[in-house]
Amino acid sequence: MSEPTALSAELTSQARELDKADELACLRTRFVLDDAVYLDGNSLGALPVAVPGRLADVLYREWGELRIRSWDESGWWTAPERIGDRIAPLVGAAPGQIVVGDSTSVNVFKAVVAAVRMADEDAAAGTSEREAGAGGGGVGRRDEILVDATTFPTDGYLAESAARMTGRTLRPVTPAEVPAALGDRTAAVLLNHVDYRTGRLHDLPGLTAAIHEAGAYAVWDLCHSAGALPVGLDAHGVDLAVGCTYKYLNGGPGSPAYLYVRRDLQPRFDSPLPGWTSHTAPFAMRPAYEPAPGAVRGRVGTPDILSMLALEAALDVWYGWVDGKESGDGKSPGPAQEAGAMIESVRAKSLALTDFFLRCVSAYVPEGRVECLTPTAHAERGSQVALRCDDAGDIMKRLIAQGVIGDFRHPDVLRFGFTPLYVSFTDVERAARVLAETLEGAG
Amino acid sequence: MSEPTALSAELTSQARELDKADELACLRTRFVLDDAVYLDGNSLGALPVAVPGRLADVLYREWGELRIRSWDESGWWTAPERIGDRIAPLVGAAPGQIVVGDSTSVNVFKAVVAAVRMADEDAAAGTSEREAGAGGGGVGRRDEILVDATTFPTDGYLAESAARMTGRTLRPVTPAEVPAALGDRTAAVLLNHVDYRTGRLHDLPGLTAAIHEAGAYAVWDLCHSAGALPVGLDAHGVDLAVGCTYKYLNGGPGSPAYLYVRRDLQPRFDSPLPGWTSHTAPFAMRPAYEPAPGAVRGRVGTPDILSMLALEAALDVWYGWVDGKESGDGKSPGPAQEAGAMIESVRAKSLALTDFFLRCVSAYVPEGRVECLTPTAHAERGSQVALRCDDAGDIMKRLIAQGVIGDFRHPDVLRFGFTPLYVSFTDVERAARVLAETLEGAG
């Protein structure tokens, strides 16, 4: 299949047309890319062009010259909330509810423990609907945490620790089993919006509603959805959420994660990691902890400024863009509506990319050679395609050697992530074609 | 006192001679400095010259070009332990016991919870000496955590959370009160090596021995000692330790902290934050947590690479230097002995700097105008001098305006930190002289 066939000529030409019509195509130049087809942005996003220059300024001027003064004068101190507000429109959150810092794992621990404590508070007050219905006072403690059994492992490990340290039982269930598993015993539920392995998109609105119906708290992990599709945290009444920023948000390797606490729950957010930067008066150095109001309460230690400001620069790509046209220099923070509108365009392109990839794979790859683990229904698909084949580890090595970068997930999964900000339809056709050639060569 | 007096001429000349004899003076050029006297390195260390170039390479080549491959090919994945091993000789630790990551606050939580769990394990096994003496089995649970009542607040807040989540009582005591407070009820003790406010150096060897005598675990916070004086973690049998890297280690604003777990305790380190990167097989993505052996067990989430590699470059200053001569390009990691020897030279210079500062202050500043909170005995002094005066906030503002950068600690403390790597005796004389002039002007 290395000679162009009529089929590949047709798909190549379709790819060109799709690229021509792509209103996001202009954003590709905002990233450092090479001749490879980079389909691993769901593991590590590509380098945004704006980052190195911004970081040089942070190093030479803000740290090197202003030094300690930069905590105030360069806005270092308020970076966690400021950058949280830049992420907010991408996940459907109004300002003041997201704080950036720590790793996703640490934020999972904060969120799950805080959710359990909220459930405890409800039980003590007899306020949840079910408990009120059951007669008010004297209700039992909710002793169970449900966790997505198909989750990225770290969520399960941290949920287990949260359960152990709050005296709960952790019960792994698939997202589909959640509605049946919910009940008076459920304190909190930790779920992934998109499955890291299969790319399956779960029903955040429906599951959140079911969790609330049971009087429990919903904690969502947005690692594989934020920046790739609309989340609608506020609209769907999600209680707490966490996510990383190094995938579709392109913040850089291991860049700081974030924590969302819904505004009305913030006064009840009782952190298991009450560090000094979440204190209401951090520089008063008081011996007693008094949590700050608002999103700040989710902070722990001193913010990691270099990584945080690299992330802030990376987020510029979401601002200064309206309806397919670049409206500014990308540096001035545009209105939240703009970023909110852009995520809708990103979702549309994401689905078009994965649709086209599936079409090309089914055109090029012989029936039965790979099995698609990603749902074909749009409502159930994230921004990645996972293909199962027995020799996946070997195939992925060969693909990478030929400039098609995806990743391998043990034991038999080829994983391809599609970042609509910089992946083109031409990339997609090439990836499918090289995949078919590679499978044929290995077959 | 703005005209040179005989006294200031004499001290200025002495400063010049001390600078001439200073074997560490050659290191000053490895930092970005200006005309100011920077005595705030105990809050944020100055920018090492090597950092921006290294970070540009990390951005453009490692992230921009190699992208995901850098986790292996650029050594990103192993950075937390590798950089831990570069810090190790500075705090008297053999390799394999320190891991870099998270904030100091998060590491305090890990360390205190892990220490309490070790005490639980001892009680269950009846292994601690006292308990064995009391008749072996059936001994009571150690229900108390002692915490330094003069600590930097975050340690107290996190210790309180650790106590709450392990069902213990937190008892604040001054370090001097620790020996009397220790007993069969003590599970763990969290102490600061150097008091952030007064600069008092506490007796780490003596207190650690007393804690062990009581069958409890010692957790030390090294934020204000590491990089300024020898710590001797291994030599004194410290159990667990934490510290930041943005003060005397010059890692940059909010750079990642570190955690030390003594080698023989590592198999018993039961983390409250068991993230996937501390798993024995992180990429097997197994649902059950199985902790890795060694220092890796102290990890949590994905390492924050940009900040971590900036720190690694900052630590170069400790390598490639022997006996006052620069032996290399500072980039190749020299032997640990070298860094270990250098910290002794750093301590000698630190004491000489603070001695000279106290002499200049007492020569220039009228008796009674300020009160020195820092002990004069070398064995009790860290690398800072804290002076109390009623108008400290105003005085510090004026000092900074005149190019003498220290900081103010509520309500009445002027804090001056002396980083021997880049502070000169000429700096010290000038700082004391400007301080005297400022106090006179404000008097």
Side-chain angles (χ1 to χ4, degrees):
Chain A
M1 208 172 284
S2 42
E3 289 305 302
T5 62
L7 185 62
S8 81
E10 189 196 321
L11 289 169
T12 305
S13 140
Q14 280 182 21
R16 275 200 215 103
E17 276 164 42
L18 287 163
D19 281 333
K20 225 179 276 175
D22 173 16
E23 60 176 5
L24 297 174
C26 58
L27 295 172
R28 189 177 167 103
T29 58
R30 294 202 186 174
F31 293 88
V32 175
L33 295 163
D34 51 24
D35 292 339
V37 176
Y38 192 63
L39 302 182
D40 210 6
N42 55 337
S43 183
L44 175 65
L47 171 66
V49 170
V51 169
R54 174 69 184 116
L55 216 49
D57 186 54
V58 172
L59 289 168
Y60 286 111
R61 191 177 56 83
E62 295 187 5
W63 177 10
E65 290 176 25
L66 299 177
R67 287 184 297 248
I68 201 73
R69 288 163 51 194
S70 275
W71 283 110
D72 288 327
E73 293 178 25
S74 305
W76 288 355
W77 186 259
T78 51
E81 298 82 56
R82 185 178 70 241
I83 303 170
D85 281 349
R86 281 175 85 81
I87 294 172
L90 305 180
V91 291
Q97 301 176 101
I98 294 183
V99 69
V100 172
D102 303 310
S103 62
T104 307
S105 299
V106 168
N107 283 306
V108 165
F109 184 75
K110 291 182 214 168
V112 174
V113 171
V116 169
R117 288 174 174 175
M118 289 176 193
D120 277 346
E121 203 182 45
D122 290 343
T127 54
S128 95
E129 279 183 27
R130 290 209 167 189
E131 282 147 4
V139 292
R141 200 178 73 139
R142 290 171 172 260
D143 66 351
E144 209 169 65
I145 299 171
L146 302 184
V147 67
D148 184 348
T150 62
T151 193
F152 186 76
T154 211
D155 292 37
Y157 307 157
L158 269 301
E160 179 69 54
S161 177
R164 172 182 175 187
M165 297 192 82
T166 57
R168 257 62 180 192
T169 302
L170 186 72
R171 185 173 159 201
V173 289
T174 65
E177 293 165 344
V178 165
L182 287 164
D184 287 348
R185 296 181 56 187
T186 318
V189 185
L190 171 63
L191 291 166
N192 291 270
H193 196 192
V194 170
D195 184 299
Y196 79 100
R197 199 168 149 278
T198 63
R200 177 182 287 276
L201 171 65
H202 294 299
D203 176 15
L204 181 143
L207 287 166
T208 303
I211 293 163
H212 287 169
E213 179 67 23
Y217 290 85
V219 181
W220 284 92
D221 179 335
L222 310 178
C223 282
H224 285 271
S225 61
L229 50 93
V231 178
L233 289 177
D234 287 353
H236 304 303
V238 167
D239 302 300
L240 300 122
V242 303
C244 77
T245 61
Y246 46 77
K247 299 181 188 293
Y248 298 106
L249 299 176
N250 312 298
S255 55
Y258 57 90
L259 172 70
Y260 164 91
V261 182
R262 203 180 65 216
R263 192 181 309 281
D264 62 301
L265 293 177
Q266 288 171 349
R268 300 175 56 202
F269 181 80
D270 181 3
S271 178
L273 298 171
W276 76 291
T277 68
S278 68
H279 196 283
T280 189
F283 293 96
M285 308 279 164
R286 294 183 196 147
Y289 180 69
E290 302 154 66
V296 175
R297 193 175 285 211
R299 284 184 171 207
V300 186
T302 305
D304 192 333
I305 294 302
L306 301 188
S307 294
M308 208 166 276
L309 299 189
L311 166 62
E312 185 172 32
L315 292 169
D316 276 354
V317 77
W318 297 91
Y319 293 85
W321 178 95
V322 184
D323 294 336
K325 289 183 191 70
E326 298 192 51
S327 66
D329 60 0
K331 279 177 188 162
S332 53
Q337 295 89 314
E338 235 175 77
M342 186 162 148
I343 194 74
E344 300 287 345
S345 297
V346 161
R347 173 59 169 165
K349 180 174 173 186
S350 161
L351 288 171
L353 287 168
T354 49
D355 276 346
F356 190 59
F357 183 68
L358 291 172
R359 256 185 68 210
C360 292
V361 167
S362 108
Y364 292 150
V365 176
E367 182 81 23
R369 182 66 178 87
V370 297
E371 176 199 354
C372 183
L373 302 176
T374 307
T376 49
H378 282 185
E380 295 174 9
R381 192 196 306 161
S383 200
Q384 80 178 48
V385 170
L387 303 176
R388 209 201 62 71
C389 68
D390 292 335
D391 46 352
D394 178 53
I395 295 291
M396 185 49 74
K397 272 186 204 143
R398 296 189 193 201
L399 279 177
I400 290 170
Q402 291 168 93
V404 173
I405 321 291
D407 63 21
F408 163 65
R409 280 295 172 260
H410 189 80
D412 56 6
V413 175
L414 299 169
R415 209 175 63 148
F416 302 97
F418 297 83
T419 302
L421 302 177
Y422 53 75
V423 171
S424 69
F425 292 90
T426 303
D427 285 340
V428 165
E429 187 278 337
R430 179 175 150 203
R433 185 161 30 86
V434 173
L435 171 65
E437 289 165 5
T438 305
L439 289 165
E440 199 170 278
Chain B
M1 205 171 283
S2 42
E3 289 303 303
T5 62
L7 186 62
S8 80
E10 191 196 319
L11 288 170
T12 304
S13 142
Q14 279 181 25
R16 274 199 216 104
E17 277 163 42
L18 286 164
D19 280 334
K20 227 178 276 174
D22 173 15
E23 59 175 8
L24 297 175
C26 59
L27 296 173
R28 189 179 168 101
T29 57
R30 294 203 188 175
F31 293 89
V32 175
L33 295 163
D34 52 23
D35 292 339
V37 176
Y38 192 62
L39 302 181
D40 210 5
N42 56 336
S43 184
L44 175 65
L47 171 66
V49 170
V51 169
R54 173 70 183 115
L55 216 48
D57 185 54
V58 172
L59 290 169
Y60 285 112
R61 191 178 55 84
E62 295 186 5
W63 177 11
E65 290 176 26
L66 299 177
R67 288 186 295 248
I68 201 75
R69 288 162 51 193
S70 276
W71 282 110
D72 288 327
E73 294 178 25
S74 304
W76 288 356
W77 187 259
T78 51
E81 298 81 56
R82 183 176 72 241
I83 303 171
D85 281 349
R86 281 176 85 80
I87 294 172
L90 306 179
V91 291
Q97 300 175 102
I98 295 183
V99 69
V100 172
D102 303 309
S103 64
T104 307
S105 300
V106 168
N107 282 306
V108 164
F109 185 74
K110 291 182 214 168
V112 174
V113 171
V116 169
R117 288 175 174 176
M118 289 174 194
D120 278 346
E121 201 182 45
D122 291 343
T127 52
S128 96
E129 282 182 24
R130 291 210 166 188
E131 282 149 3
V139 292
R141 197 176 75 138
R142 291 171 172 261
D143 67 350
E144 209 169 66
I145 299 170
L146 302 183
V147 66
D148 183 349
T150 63
T151 194
F152 185 77
T154 210
D155 292 35
Y157 306 156
L158 270 301
E160 179 70 50
S161 177
R164 172 183 176 187
M165 297 192 83
T166 57
R168 259 60 181 192
T169 301
L170 186 72
R171 184 172 160 203
V173 290
T174 66
E177 293 165 344
V178 164
L182 287 164
D184 288 347
R185 296 183 55 188
T186 318
V189 185
L190 172 63
L191 291 166
N192 290 270
H193 196 193
V194 170
D195 185 298
Y196 80 99
R197 201 169 148 275
T198 63
R200 177 181 288 274
L201 171 65
H202 295 299
D203 177 15
L204 180 143
L207 287 166
T208 302
I211 293 163
H212 287 170
E213 179 66 24
Y217 289 84
V219 182
W220 285 92
D221 179 335
L222 310 177
C223 282
H224 284 272
S225 60
L229 50 93
V231 177
L233 288 177
D234 287 353
H236 305 304
V238 166
D239 301 300
L240 299 123
V242 302
C244 77
T245 61
Y246 47 77
K247 299 180 188 291
Y248 298 106
L249 299 177
N250 311 298
S255 55
Y258 57 89
L259 171 70
Y260 164 91
V261 182
R262 204 179 66 214
R263 192 180 309 281
D264 62 301
L265 293 177
Q266 286 171 351
R268 300 175 57 201
F269 181 80
D270 181 4
S271 178
L273 298 172
W276 75 290
T277 69
S278 69
H279 196 284
T280 189
F283 292 97
M285 310 277 164
R286 294 183 195 147
Y289 180 68
E290 303 154 65
V296 175
R297 195 176 283 213
R299 285 184 171 206
V300 186
T302 305
D304 192 335
I305 293 302
L306 301 187
S307 293
M308 207 165 276
L309 300 187
L311 165 62
E312 185 171 34
L315 291 169
D316 277 353
V317 77
W318 297 91
Y319 292 84
W321 178 94
V322 184
D323 294 337
K325 289 180 191 73
E326 297 191 51
S327 66
D329 60 359
K331 279 179 189 163
S332 52
Q337 294 89 315
E338 233 175 77
M342 186 163 150
I343 194 75
E344 300 287 345
S345 297
V346 161
R347 173 59 168 167
K349 180 173 173 187
S350 162
L351 288 171
L353 287 167
T354 50
D355 275 346
F356 189 60
F357 183 68
L358 291 172
R359 257 184 68 209
C360 292
V361 167
S362 107
Y364 292 150
V365 176
E367 182 82 23
R369 182 67 179 86
V370 296
E371 176 199 352
C372 183
L373 301 177
T374 307
T376 49
H378 282 184
E380 296 174 7
R381 193 197 304 160
S383 200
Q384 82 178 48
V385 170
L387 303 176
R388 208 201 61 71
C389 69
D390 291 335
D391 46 353
D394 179 52
I395 295 292
M396 186 49 74
K397 271 186 204 143
R398 295 189 193 200
L399 280 176
I400 290 170
Q402 291 167 92
V404 173
I405 321 291
D407 63 22
F408 163 64
R409 280 294 172 259
H410 191 79
D412 56 6
V413 175
L414 298 169
R415 209 174 66 146
F416 302 97
F418 298 83
T419 301
L421 302 176
Y422 53 74
V423 171
S424 70
F425 293 90
T426 303
D427 286 340
V428 165
E429 187 278 336
R430 179 175 150 205
R433 185 159 34 83
V434 173
L435 171 65
E437 290 165 6
T438 305
L439 288 165
E440 202 171 275

